[in-house]
Amino acid sequence: MTSPTEADRLWTTIHRERGRLLELLRSLDPADWDRPSLCAGWRVRDVAAHTISSSDYSVLDMVTGVIRARGDFNRLMDRLAREQGSRPAERIMARYERQATSRRRPPGTKPRDPLVDVLVHSQDIAIPLGRAHPMPAQPARDAAAFVWTRGFPYDAQRHHPGTRFVATDVDFEIGEGEAVRAPIADILLTMTGRPTVWTDCG
């Protein structure tokens, strides 16, 4: 169980990273919103809308959505992201500004899931646009350790059997087998199913 002090520190980090992502979104040109992200099939606008709108979902929203998606959680997330992303960029930004400091989490998620979301989805937007958006090493380390043990929806251990991840920029080593050495940001992106893109952002 996360103590109140630990929870406060975690939310402070999440809110700081949401603020950094908000600044990145404010800097985008209109055409950038429709460019592909690192998430297969999602545009930048879809990722931006998904990252902040997930805190609004209630238990009823999720149950109804899963039923409509015939039990497929990934299909549900895809539909919601595209629906939210189809709105004008100004509306996506306005919603982001309202929700950036929210402490709500979608039903069924754990305290560090929002941290993973904002760290990874920031890169889903920044990397394909060629924008510098360094991922902070210590929060990335915390997120990677969590993802390794999380199971669904990441399943990092199942997808990377016989792999020992070793960070080159922070004290982090996890897994067993052949060593993969990289900055912690790249390790987190690999664990969460992103294509291998060595950001070297530290």
Side-chain angles (χ1 to χ4, degrees):
M1 177 71 74
T2 304
S3 73
T5 301
E6 291 173 331
D8 289 341
R9 286 198 296 264
L10 179 57
W11 278 117
T12 295
T13 300
I14 293 167
H15 293 160
R16 182 180 65 242
E17 292 308 305
R18 285 178 178 172
R20 292 182 64 225
L21 177 54
L22 181 58
E23 290 304 310
L24 173 62
L25 295 176
R26 285 173 174 156
S27 75
L28 300 185
D29 296 326
D32 290 334
W33 286 85
D34 292 310
R35 298 190 191 282
S37 73
L38 285 188
C39 294
W42 285 11
R43 301 160 297 175
V44 165
R45 62 172 53 252
D46 301 323
V47 176
H50 166 78
T51 303
I52 199 61
S53 65
S54 60
S55 64
D56 285 344
Y57 302 146
S58 67
V59 173
L60 180 59
D61 292 332
M62 297 301 289
V63 171
T64 303
V66 168
I67 291 173
R68 288 180 59 191
R70 289 172 285 183
D72 189 326
F73 178 80
N74 290 328
R75 180 183 297 170
L76 170 62
M77 290 296 100
D78 182 69
R79 179 178 62 78
L80 291 174
R82 292 174 189 274
E83 287 178 357
Q84 300 288 346
S86 66
R87 298 175 178 179
E90 293 77 11
R91 289 187 61 188
I92 296 173
M93 287 284 294
R95 188 176 194 180
Y96 201 116
E97 290 169 353
R98 290 195 303 271
Q99 298 293 342
T101 57
S102 170
R103 289 194 173 198
R104 290 189 62 188
R105 291 187 285 112
T109 61
K110 296 182 180 297
R112 283 174 173 75
D113 279 313
L115 176 64
V116 177
D117 270 359
V118 69
L119 291 178
V120 173
H121 288 319
S122 293
Q123 301 306 313
D124 288 334
I125 292 170
I127 291 174
L129 294 180
R131 299 296 188 95
H133 191 83
M135 189 186 296
Q138 288 299 330
R141 179 190 185 281
D142 189 18
F146 167 71
V147 166
W148 187 250
T149 61
R150 177 68 165 105
F152 181 82
Y154 312 112
D155 293 321
Q157 294 189 45
R158 180 169 64 85
H159 291 306
H160 301 282
T163 301
R164 178 166 54 93
F165 288 104
V166 182
T168 57
D169 56 345
V170 68
D171 183 17
F172 179 83
E173 182 173 336
I174 206 164
E176 297 180 358
E178 183 177 355
V180 172
R181 303 178 186 276
I184 190 63
D186 298 309
I187 290 174
L188 178 58
L189 291 175
T190 299
M191 285 183 176
T192 53
R194 272 57 186 176
T196 301
V197 180
W198 300 126
T199 63
D200 198 26
C201 62

